[in-house]
């Protein structure tokens, strides 16, 4: 009977310990992690990069067609609206609760504590400081890769249109 009691107590304690290690993180600990990773500043940096990318796309689109002064003003107004929408929808006030929810459902308290400790370390701080430059370089290189890809897609689309035209000609010839 004493053995059963000891086993039961051991099992209960081990379950308690396992549960304690798998505890859900608190909102406060997640906010501390978000602060350590400078997530708010990173979001602002991403917003700026999106704005610059959008401006580049619109500039490229405008350069391929003739746009008079009146249309350019309308295009500029449209861009300003897009920026305002993006800033509103991706504001920290809207993003933080979403991030807290995602982190809380994906990480344990132990995970959050360990990750926060890393980001508070010298290596973690260096990484946080350098990640905007890394992202900027990544975005620039991705844009450079996307331009030739877009040209290849245009060429493939042109070839498809020609193939469709040939198919239509053959069908007409058979009638």
């Amino acid at each position: 009977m004493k053995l059963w009691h000891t086993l039961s107590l051991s099992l209960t304690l081990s379950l308690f310990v396992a549960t304690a290690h798998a505890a859900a993180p608190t909102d406060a600990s997640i906010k501390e992690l978000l602060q350590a990773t400078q997530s708010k500043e990173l979001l602002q940096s991403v917003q700026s990069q999106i704005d610059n990318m959008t401006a580049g796309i619109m500039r490229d689109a405008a350069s391929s067609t003739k746009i008079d002064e009146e249309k350019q003003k309308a295009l500029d107004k449209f861009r300003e609206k897009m920026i305002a929408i993006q800033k509103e929808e991706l504001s920290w006030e809207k993003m933080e609760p979403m991030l807290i929810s995602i982190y809380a459902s994906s990480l344990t308290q132990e995970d959050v504590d360990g990750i926060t400790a890393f980001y508070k370390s010298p290596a973690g701080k260096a990484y946080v400081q350098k990640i905007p430059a890394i992202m900027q370089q990544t975005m620039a290189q991705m844009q450079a890769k996307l331009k030739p890809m877009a040209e290849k897609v245009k060429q493939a689309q042109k070839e498809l249109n020609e193939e469709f035209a040939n198919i239509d000609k053959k069908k007409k010839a058979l009638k």
Side-chain angles (χ1 to χ4, degrees), residues 43 47 84-100:
L43 176 64
Q47 287 173 337
I85 291 168
Q86 172 223 322
K87 284 183 179 178
E88 178 186 338
E89 294 303 315
L90 298 178
S91 70
W92 184 248
E93 292 73 25
K94 288 189 177 185
M95 296 298 290
E96 184 184 35
M98 180 191 75
L99 291 171
I100 289 171

Side-chain angles (χ1 to χ4, degrees), residues 49-79:
Q49 289 176 15
I50 290 171
D51 179 30
N52 291 337
M53 199 164 92
T54 302
I57 290 168
M58 292 179 81
R59 204 172 24 257
D60 289 349
S63 70
S64 64
T65 59
K66 289 189 176 188
I67 295 182
D68 60 27
E69 189 176 328
E70 190 175 349
K71 287 180 181 177
Q72 184 60 51
K73 285 180 182 178
L75 190 60
D76 291 343
K77 187 177 175 182
F78 174 74
R79 182 175 168 268

Side-chain angles (χ1 to χ4, degrees), residues 130-145:
K130 294 172 184 173
I131 196 70
I134 291 168
M135 288 181 63
Q136 189 173 23
Q137 290 176 30
T138 302
M139 296 277 279
Q141 289 188 24
M142 286 301 294
Q143 276 185 317
K145 285 194 172 290

